[in-house]
Amino acid sequence: MATIHSLPVLMRVVSASLTLAKRAGQIIKDVQTSGTSLDIVDKGHNDPQTKADRASQQLIISNLTKHFPQLTIRGEENIPIEKSAATSDIDELIRSNLNEVLQAKCPNEFQDLQEKDLVVWVDPLDGTREFTEGRLEGVTVLIGFATKGNAIGGIIHQPFYINGNESGRSVWGLVHSGVYGKCQMNSTPLPGRIVAGSLSHRSKTVVDAVNACQPTEVLQAGGCGYKALLVLERRVHAYVHASRGCSLWDTCAPEAVLKAAGGMLTDVFGKGISYLPTDDTSVKTGVLATMENHEWYAQQIREKITML
Ligand SMILES: *[C@@H]1O[C@H](CO)[C@@H](O)[C@H](O)[C@H]1NC(C)=O
Ligand SMILES: *[C@@H]1O[C@H](CO)[C@@H](O)[C@H](O)[C@H]1NC(C)=O
């Protein structure tokens, strides 16, 4: 095997990030099972959601910052990062999941990317509401990679995934390479038009956008990462969320994974999202994700809604 130092930077960063996402997932599980009652909705520092969110963010960001100092890393700003905290050995972080990562070939156009060209968008615990309310399959750890404003790679780690005796999974992808990890494409064609979205949202626009897509069924599910997995695995036809509530760290990894599989994630009007590291990290025009017929959904929404 080639020495890890001769690998393209992107592959080293993805491999270390995959290790960190899996470890962060383990921490989230540990917090959840540590006996702290899940019906605490106290927003103090000791409620399980805050604890899991902080520990996960600390683990991912401290380690990436230490070992890849020139990366631009963006995560939820409200969590302070201790710069001096102990970190793992870099070779170990990269090697732990290298065999899995080397299933992917680094696309030619990314071979020479430098650390400073990469922006990493981290959501240490996507689906916080699902976590608090015990709908645990909706919880994911998201690490997305962007360059020149485009999402090019992403990791969606789902710590509470259960399939037989397997527990936890990571699905990750690189655009122009493919999607890897444990994803299970639904092999039977989906009937009708199933939309992951909300019909009970307090915002009328959110509901109008779902209805504009003429769904035969609406699946209420939480978490951007989880809904992207539903689209990827063809359990729904589309994921529609016409609200200003998403952030770039919610959408970067999902967009990259879907793109790597031949799907799309844009704003609800079908316009691409920019992942340049500007100060404004919110996605103001919502999210639309599909594997097929993306433009049709965007068109239906544009006909009914003009702004969020
Ligand atoms: C860095 O990652 C390792 C796990 O690989 C973890 O034990 C360590 O606590 C992390 N560092 C921080 C500051 O979270
Ligand atoms: C999970 O179950 C399968 C078949 O039921 C078995 O072959 C496999 O070894 C099991 N894996 C683990 C980690 O227990």
Side-chain angles (χ1 to χ4, degrees):
M1 189 192 290
T3 69
I4 57 176
H5 301 285
S6 66
L7 290 168
V9 168
L10 178 63
M11 302 311 270
R12 286 165 40 212
V13 171
V14 168
S15 200
S17 299
L18 186 57
T19 304
L20 293 168
K22 290 179 183 186
R23 291 188 182 157
Q26 190 54 53
I27 289 192
I28 292 170
K29 277 167 98 162
D30 291 346
V31 171
Q32 195 268 333
T33 50
S34 68
T36 334
S37 157
L38 278 178
D39 42 40
I40 303 176
V41 255
D42 153 39
K43 279 283 147 204
H45 285 188
N46 285 320
D47 74 283
Q49 182 240 306
T50 309
K51 229 165 120 181
D53 208 6
R54 283 177 175 240
S56 171
Q57 166 120 327
Q58 179 79 36
L59 177 118
I60 296 168
I61 295 192
S62 298
N63 278 287
L64 286 181
T65 309
K66 163 95 182 292
H67 297 304
F68 302 99
Q70 298 185 62
L71 291 176
T72 301
I73 305 174
R74 291 295 170 93
E76 294 173 39
E77 297 87 352
N78 56 358
I79 304 177
I81 296 298
E82 294 165 43
K83 287 246 161 56
S84 60
T87 46
S88 275
D89 176 62
I90 181 61
D91 284 10
E92 193 262 332
L93 276 186
I94 294 176
R95 254 181 240 291
S96 299
N97 286 283
L98 192 58
N99 286 341
E100 181 174 345
V101 168
L102 289 182
Q103 290 170 47
K105 218 181 138 299
C106 183
N108 286 337
E109 65 268 48
F110 307 142
Q111 292 273 355
D112 299 322
L113 277 186
Q114 304 293 302
E115 243 178 79
K116 63 176 173 37
D117 303 326
L118 279 170
V119 181
V120 185
W121 293 96
V122 180
D123 189 344
L125 198 168
D126 183 54
T128 48
R129 186 132 148 241
E130 285 59 41
F131 183 78
T132 313
E133 293 171 1
R135 286 178 283 119
L136 296 173
E137 66 180 353
V139 173
T140 56
V141 176
L142 302 175
I143 307 181
F145 309 96
T147 191
K148 298 194 180 116
N150 300 312
I152 60 164
I155 297 168
I156 303 177
H157 177 72
Q158 194 184 17
F160 298 100
Y161 171 80
I162 292 177
N163 182 26
N165 55 8
E166 280 174 50
S167 146
R169 67 164 169 174
S170 306
V171 174
W172 58 278
L174 282 179
V175 306
H176 304 151
S177 174
V179 172
Y180 307 88
K182 298 199 185 97
C183 61
Q184 304 196 311
M185 304 298 181
N186 191 0
S187 51
T188 51
L190 270 185
R193 192 176 296 116
I194 309 176
V195 173
S198 176
L199 285 181
S200 59
H201 202 274
R202 61 195 144 70
S203 151
K204 182 174 176 297
T205 315
V206 168
V207 176
D208 287 350
V210 170
N211 283 326
C213 298
Q214 304 160 41
T216 54
E217 187 183 332
V218 175
L219 196 84
Q220 302 253 15
C224 189
Y226 179 62
K227 281 180 284 201
L229 289 174
L230 292 174
V231 172
L232 176 73
E233 294 186 319
R234 295 177 167 81
R235 287 163 209 288
V236 301
H237 293 90
Y239 154 33
V240 179
H241 190 57
S243 120
R244 301 165 72 99
C246 285
S247 299
L248 292 168
W249 47 78
D250 298 321
T251 58
C252 185
E255 174 173 339
V257 168
L258 288 170
K259 263 205 294 207
M264 285 178 87
L265 185 150
T266 63
D267 76 4
V268 281
F269 304 117
K271 229 174 120 252
I273 296 169
S274 165
Y275 295 95
L276 292 173
T278 52
D279 289 340
D280 191 350
T281 54
S282 68
V283 182
K284 295 219 165 40
T285 41
V287 176
L288 169 65
T290 64
M291 288 303 293
E292 270 155 13
N293 301 327
H294 196 84
E295 181 46 32
W296 182 86
Y297 287 93
Q299 177 66 32
Q300 305 313 304
I301 295 171
R302 285 196 301 266
E303 281 171 14
K304 295 279 159 43
I305 291 168
T306 51
M307 59 177 288
L308 305 196

